[in-house]
């Protein structure tokens, strides 16, 4: 036995033995931090395996640097690297605890508000056990100081050090291959930093973030106030006058924006086995007090939902790659709907979402947009069966949101983001009372079932609004954010549309999503104008009679009579009442026929294409260069992000204080009595 321990000690007394001990200890503590301090959501054997191994490649690479040096210096370097790497973990543990996200170089460099807030609360959020991340360093120092492990002064062969470097890169590429196979577009669709850490690791996240930050900084650094001239000139040339029949007709009313997740236009009035998929939304769509747009398109790219939110509330396009909310939401200056309505018309602003606040970087972006309140997962009760897919089931989400809605001082602007109708369209049997379609495509067929559940949830919410006295004094906006069924399911799409096959033109038309504006007394009807998500903000502001003539918005009021009806897609394609251009092919929008263009037609199409290219380019320039920091519209003040907190206790205290002061909430108007919310959700029975 003594000889066994002697051999073990002798092995640790070698440079390689000590190196491997350092690697194993650091690997283990990183994995423990993953499991205990971060909510990474690793599901399934592949993700769990990647979470287990992802600390190893970068650890071998970084610590392996020390092996290129001699004697005591190699040991000192390993310890210094361990301290630095451990501090990186420690800092992220604290930051994640406060902001549900990971530190970025952009935040560390330029976000004084985040830094100050974190500094003020450092004592409150630091726990004694957080210093566990330094335990291995203490152990290693004790072992060296007591000579249990002796420093190996012998030269270490460079080829061995180089082999470890090569091995680390090999493991890194293999890990990325597995990660990308499980989550395609991992680094181009960076909608949540949790995903990068979960799949690749904290060090890889830091490297990727450093690359992103450098790229963004170069663009932002070279921007100046003169860059706004071309943007303002374009907007002035393309600004349209509001429709006098509608301008200001809904002034002073509350606004509900209901985000219908992955909901496509074809679902309206669609039947399966003779049953309406969405009977409530069908009635809402055809209501005489609902303005419904049947040529309204989603214009999202890789950012999907975040692109839709960016367009809807800023009238700025999403980016050609990645998510603007994720990459630029924290640092950029915005002139968004919540801030405009609060500053110009005294609205209380709130967003509701039954998932983690970090998804799409909402917890930071919403502050930049001026949301006073953000009710996310920590505000909701979660029990077994309450969630599915990306968060709370819609019926439970709406019911639990009601207690916060009735406390909001009126008028208010409230956005509620539903989740159940999201791929992969999973719903337990006790909530499924609608037949699936029979296309044979397992991805497509349950889509109508979750859409039907969303419709039922919407019906319950409308009933609540009427009982609470909010229905008549509110504008209710309902919209679909993006497609639910991708173009990869052509045979199934053809069956849904009752066609033998679908063309590229059909698929472009399949990108239509609902957009409906309802208000008691509003002159409604089906409006056939062509538009998209970029047009929502100016339309809504004109209806509310809120001045927006000098804000930067690339959309146009959908009700304006002289508006440009060219709908730009993020890839440069477009749809207009006359022409649809997809790649190099031009279609007749009314018939779907491929056109052989005359000289006059080609000129007209080229003009439309130039319009699309210009507005996409200018919108990108605004975001990449953060140009709104140079532009101050009359009456608009830059949002002070440090004035907002989305932590439960301080936010609820702030809301209670505002409600007590204003006395305009639904709760106050009902003499402090809450309105009973009726739902048939089986989980609550």
């Amino acid at each position: 036995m003594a000889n066994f321990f002697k051999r073990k000690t002798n092995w640790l007394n070698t440079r390689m033995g000590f190196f491997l001990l350092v690697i194993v200890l650091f690997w283990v503590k990183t994995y423990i931090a993953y499991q205990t301090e971060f909510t990474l959501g690793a599901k399934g054997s592949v993700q769990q395996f990647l979470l287990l191994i992802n600390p190893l490649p970068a650890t071998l690479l970084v610590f392996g640097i020390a092996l290129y040096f001699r004697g005591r210096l190699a040991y000192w370097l390993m310890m210094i690297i361990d301290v630095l790497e451990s501090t990186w973990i420690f800092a992220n543990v604290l930051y994640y605890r406060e902001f549900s996200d990971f530190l970025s170089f952009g935040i560390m460099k330029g976000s004084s508000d985040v830094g100050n807030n974190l500094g003020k609360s450092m004592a409150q959020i630091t726990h004694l056990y957080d210093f566990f991340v330094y335990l291995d360093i203490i152990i290693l120092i004790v072992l060296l100081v007591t000579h249990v492990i002796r420093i190996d002064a012998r030269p270490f062969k460079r080829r061995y050090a180089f082999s470890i470097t090569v091995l680390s890169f090999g493991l890194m590429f293999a890990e990325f291959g597995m990660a990308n196979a499980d989550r395609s577009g991992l680094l181009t669709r960076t909608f949540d930093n949790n995903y990068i850490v979960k799949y690749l690791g904290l060090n890889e996240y830091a490297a990727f973030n450093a690359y992103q930050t450098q790229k963004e900084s170069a663009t932002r650094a070279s921007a100046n106030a003169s860059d706004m001239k071309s943007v303002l000139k374009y907007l002035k040339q393309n600004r349209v006058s509001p429709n006098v029949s509608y301008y200001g007709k809904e002034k002073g009313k509350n606004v509900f924006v209901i985000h219908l997740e992955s909901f496509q236009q074809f679902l309206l009035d669609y039947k399966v086995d003779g049953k309406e998929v969405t009977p409530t939304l069908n009635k809402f769509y055809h209501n005489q007090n609902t303005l419904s747009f049947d040529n309204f398109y989603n214009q999202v790219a890789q950012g999907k939902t975040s692109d839709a939110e960016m367009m809807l509330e800023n009238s700025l396009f999403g980016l050609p790659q990645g998510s603007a909310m994720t990459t630029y939401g924290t640092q950029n200056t915005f002139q968004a709907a919540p801030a405009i309505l609060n500053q110009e018309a005294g609205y209380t602003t709130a967003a509701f979402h039954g998932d983690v606040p970090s998804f799409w970087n909402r917890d930071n972006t919403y502050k930049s947009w001026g949301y006073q309140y953000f009710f996310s997962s920590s505000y909701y009760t979660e029990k077994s069966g309450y969630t599915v897919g990306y968060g709370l089931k819609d019926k439970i989400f709406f019911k639990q949101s009601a207690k916060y809605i009735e406390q909001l001082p009126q008028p208010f602007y409230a956005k509620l983001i539903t989740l159940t109708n999201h791929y992969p369209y999973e719903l337990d049997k006790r909530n499924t009372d609608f037949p699936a379609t029979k296309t044979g495509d397992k991805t497509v067929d349950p889509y109508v079932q979750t859409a039907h559940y969303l419709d039922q949830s919407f019906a319950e919410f409308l009933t609540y609004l009427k009982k609470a006295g909010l229905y008549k004094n509110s504008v209710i906006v309902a919209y679909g954010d993006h497609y639910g069924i991708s173009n990869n399911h052509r045979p199934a799409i053809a069956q849904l549309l009752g066609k033998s096959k679908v063309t590229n033109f059909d698929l472009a038309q399949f990108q239509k999503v609902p957009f409906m504006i309802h208000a008691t007394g509003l002159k409604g009807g089906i409006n056939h104008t062509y538009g998209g998500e970029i047009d929502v903000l100016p339309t809504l502001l004109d209806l509310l009679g809120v001045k927006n003539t000098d804000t930067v918005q690339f959309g146009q009021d959908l009700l304006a009579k002289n508006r440009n009806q060219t709908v730009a897609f993020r890839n440069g394609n477009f749809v207009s009442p006359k022409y649809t251009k997809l790649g190099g092919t031009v279609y007749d929008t009314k018939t779907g026929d491929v056109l052989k263009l005359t000289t006059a037609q080609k000129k007209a199409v080229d003009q439309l294409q130039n319009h699309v290219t210009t507005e996409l380019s200018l919108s990108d320039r605004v975001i990449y260069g953060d140009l709104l920091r140079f532009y101050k519209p009359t009456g608009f003040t830059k949002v002070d992000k440090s004035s907002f907190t989305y932590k439960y206790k301080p936010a609820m205290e702030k809301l209670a204080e505002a409600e007590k002061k204003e006395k305009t909430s639904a709760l106050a108007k009902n003499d402090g009595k809450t309105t009973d919310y009726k739902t048939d959700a089986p989980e609550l029975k």
Side-chain angles (χ1 to χ4, degrees):
M1 182 66 70
N3 288 334
F4 173 79
F5 283 109
K6 186 177 180 180
R7 288 197 300 271
K8 288 294 181 184
T9 305
N10 287 339
W11 181 74
L12 288 175
N13 285 332
T14 65
R15 186 90 54 86
M16 179 59 77
F18 184 77
F19 172 76
L20 292 178
L21 176 62
V22 173
I23 293 297
V24 170
L25 289 176
F26 188 84
W27 183 5
V28 170
K29 78 175 179 186
T30 304
Y31 183 70
I32 292 173
Y34 283 172
Q35 295 287 12
T36 60
E37 300 298 334
F38 307 126
T39 307
L40 299 178
K43 299 177 181 178
S45 58
V46 172
Q47 291 184 18
Q48 289 290 353
F49 176 72
L50 287 170
L51 188 66
L52 173 64
I53 67 166
N54 82 35
L56 184 58
T59 302
L60 284 171
L61 177 64
V62 176
F63 282 87
I65 295 171
L67 296 177
Y68 288 93
F69 296 86
R70 296 185 178 185
R72 291 178 178 273
L73 181 57
Y75 285 77
W76 275 109
L77 282 173
M78 276 188 257
M79 299 306 296
I80 291 171
I81 291 170
D82 204 341
V83 170
L84 293 174
E85 288 283 307
S86 299
T87 301
W88 175 238
I89 296 175
F90 181 79
N92 274 285
V93 166
L94 297 186
Y95 188 80
Y96 196 94
R97 188 173 295 151
E98 182 73 5
F99 298 106
S100 302
D101 201 359
F102 296 95
L103 277 167
S104 70
F105 290 99
I107 290 171
M108 289 187 285
K109 278 196 331 179
S111 185
S112 59
D113 55 334
V114 174
N116 289 338
N117 288 340
L118 183 60
K120 292 175 185 176
S121 59
M122 186 72 75
Q124 287 80 14
I125 66 174
T126 303
H127 302 150
L128 185 61
Y129 58 75
D130 294 332
F131 295 95
F132 163 82
V133 297
Y134 296 105
L135 180 61
D136 63 320
I137 300 171
I138 296 172
I139 292 172
L140 291 169
I141 291 174
V142 170
L143 291 174
L144 288 170
V145 169
T146 59
H147 301 295
V148 173
I149 296 178
R150 297 181 182 275
I151 292 175
D152 183 5
R154 293 174 297 174
F156 192 79
K157 292 182 179 180
R158 287 292 182 94
R159 67 173 180 269
Y160 293 159
F162 183 71
S163 296
I164 289 173
T165 301
V166 172
L167 174 63
S168 67
F169 278 111
L171 290 173
M172 206 173 291
F173 285 123
E175 178 194 15
F176 180 75
M178 291 182 64
N180 207 50
D182 191 67
R183 183 74 199 183
S184 61
L186 177 63
L187 297 182
T188 55
R189 295 187 63 231
T190 53
F191 50 84
D192 194 336
N193 290 329
N194 284 296
Y195 276 71
I196 299 178
V197 175
K198 174 175 69 175
Y199 281 108
L200 302 180
L202 262 175
N203 279 323
E204 287 84 345
Y205 159 74
F208 179 67
N209 183 256
Y211 164 75
Q212 279 188 314
T213 303
Q214 189 279 329
K215 184 179 178 182
E216 295 160 18
S217 297
T219 303
R220 193 177 191 275
S222 63
N224 56 64
S226 64
D227 293 329
M228 275 299 297
K229 291 181 180 179
S230 56
V231 174
L232 296 175
K233 180 180 178 182
Y234 172 84
L235 294 176
K236 184 177 180 180
Q237 291 173 342
N238 289 274
R239 197 176 297 279
V240 295
S241 301
N243 189 325
V244 293
S245 299
Y246 286 99
Y247 186 83
K249 294 299 181 182
E250 306 306 322
K251 188 172 184 176
K253 286 190 176 182
N254 301 317
V255 178
F256 285 99
V257 176
I258 311 299
H259 173 109
L260 305 174
E261 175 62 44
S262 305
F263 197 98
Q264 293 181 244
Q265 176 77 8
F266 85 91
L267 286 169
L268 295 175
D269 296 328
Y270 194 81
K271 294 182 179 180
V272 177
D273 295 344
K275 299 179 180 179
E276 292 179 297
V277 177
T278 57
T280 302
L281 283 164
N282 294 346
K283 292 178 183 177
F284 191 79
Y285 180 76
H286 293 291
N287 189 286
Q288 64 178 356
N289 297 133
T290 301
L291 276 168
S292 301
F293 298 86
D294 61 354
N295 287 312
F296 185 87
Y297 295 79
N298 88 76
Q299 298 169 284
V300 306
Q302 291 178 332
K304 295 291 181 66
T305 296
S306 70
D307 285 353
E309 290 191 67
M310 178 63 70
M311 287 183 280
L312 208 77
E313 301 193 274
N314 294 271
S315 202
L316 294 172
F317 287 96
L319 299 176
Q321 290 185 333
S323 162
M325 278 178 62
T326 300
T327 309
Y328 298 95
T330 305
Q331 300 299 320
N332 275 24
T333 298
F334 292 95
Q335 296 161 7
I340 293 172
L341 289 171
N342 175 256
Q343 293 185 27
E344 297 284 350
Y347 275 70
T348 305
T349 59
F352 299 78
H353 180 51
D355 196 7
V356 294
S358 65
F359 205 83
W360 290 125
N361 193 35
R362 286 188 175 100
D363 50 347
N364 293 310
T365 302
Y366 283 177
K367 291 178 182 177
S368 299
W369 291 0
Y371 270 114
Q372 295 167 297
Y373 304 98
F374 178 26
F375 302 94
S376 59
S377 55
S378 63
Y379 288 80
Y380 296 89
T381 301
E382 292 187 11
K383 295 182 180 180
S384 177
Y386 279 24
T387 63
V388 62
Y390 285 80
L392 278 179
K393 294 174 181 174
D394 293 341
K395 289 183 181 180
I396 300 171
F397 166 67
F398 276 125
K399 177 177 173 59
Q400 291 195 33
S401 296
K403 64 182 178 182
Y404 302 119
I405 291 171
E406 64 184 11
Q407 295 180 62
L408 295 175
Q410 301 184 68
F412 57 72
Y413 173 83
K415 178 173 65 175
L416 294 99
I417 303 173
T418 65
L419 289 169
T420 307
N421 192 46
H422 194 293
Y423 174 83
Y425 313 118
E426 297 173 329
L427 200 58
D428 49 286
K429 290 184 179 179
R430 59 181 176 171
N431 279 294
T432 307
D433 61 354
F434 195 82
T437 53
K438 300 177 179 64
T439 68
D441 189 317
K442 293 181 179 179
T443 298
V444 172
D445 287 339
Y447 178 56
V448 293
Q449 295 177 316
T450 52
H452 184 71
Y453 176 87
L454 169 57
D455 185 78
Q456 293 175 323
S457 308
F458 183 63
E460 292 176 350
F461 184 65
L462 292 181
T463 299
Y464 163 76
L465 293 182
K466 292 173 183 177
K467 288 176 62 178
L470 289 168
Y471 188 83
K472 290 184 178 181
N473 193 40
S474 296
V475 176
I476 303 171
V477 177
Y479 82 104
D481 60 337
H482 56 73
Y483 64 79
I485 302 172
S486 77
N487 291 346
N488 296 327
H489 302 275
R490 284 182 179 237
I493 292 172
Q495 291 186 56
L496 292 175
L497 299 180
K499 298 187 175 187
S500 58
K501 64 177 182 179
V502 290
T503 65
N504 288 336
F505 176 81
D506 294 325
L507 294 177
Q509 298 303 307
F510 201 58
Q511 299 307 308
K512 290 181 181 180
V513 292
F515 179 58
M516 299 170 273
I517 304 173
H518 176 88
T520 302
L522 180 65
K523 182 182 178 182
I526 307 298
N527 190 304
H528 305 302
T529 189
Y530 282 73
E533 290 155 335
I534 199 74
D535 302 310
V536 172
L537 180 58
T539 306
L540 182 59
L541 292 179
D542 281 350
L543 271 172
L544 296 174
V546 176
K547 182 176 73 70
N548 64 330
T549 53
D550 55 356
T551 48
V552 174
Q553 298 171 15
F554 284 89
Q556 295 181 337
D557 184 346
L558 289 166
L559 299 169
K561 295 180 178 180
N562 59 334
R563 63 184 305 274
N564 187 322
Q565 296 189 57
T566 307
V567 184
F569 296 126
R570 185 58 260 193
N571 59 7
N573 292 336
F574 63 82
V575 173
S576 73
K578 195 169 184 179
Y579 302 109
T580 296
K581 186 173 183 290
L582 306 173
T585 306
V586 179
Y587 300 84
D588 183 313
T589 300
K590 292 182 179 179
T591 65
D593 295 333
V594 176
L595 294 174
K596 293 182 179 179
L597 300 178
T598 64
T599 302
Q601 287 176 324
K602 186 178 184 306
K603 183 178 179 181
V605 170
D606 286 345
Q607 288 177 340
L608 294 177
Q609 183 66 76
N610 181 63
H611 170 80
V612 167
T613 303
T614 301
E615 70 174 0
L616 289 172
S617 175
L618 290 174
S619 177
D620 289 348
R621 193 180 301 176
V622 169
I623 295 177
Y624 285 136
D626 189 15
L627 297 186
L628 294 184
R629 62 188 155 135
F630 303 119
Y631 180 62
K632 299 178 181 179
T634 304
F636 185 86
T637 303
K638 181 180 177 180
V639 173
D640 178 12
K641 292 177 284 186
S642 66
S643 64
F644 304 126
T645 177
Y646 298 148
K647 290 293 181 181
Y648 180 83
K649 187 177 179 180
M652 292 308 297
E653 289 174 351
K654 181 180 177 182
L655 181 59
E657 184 180 344
E659 183 204 355
K660 184 178 180 180
K661 180 181 178 182
E662 300 293 336
K663 297 181 180 180
T664 58
S665 68
L667 191 64
K669 290 182 178 297
N670 289 330
D671 298 322
K673 297 178 182 178
T674 60
T675 302
D676 185 36
Y677 191 108
K678 296 291 185 181
T679 176
D680 64 2
E683 299 86 355
L684 301 177
K685 294 180 180 179

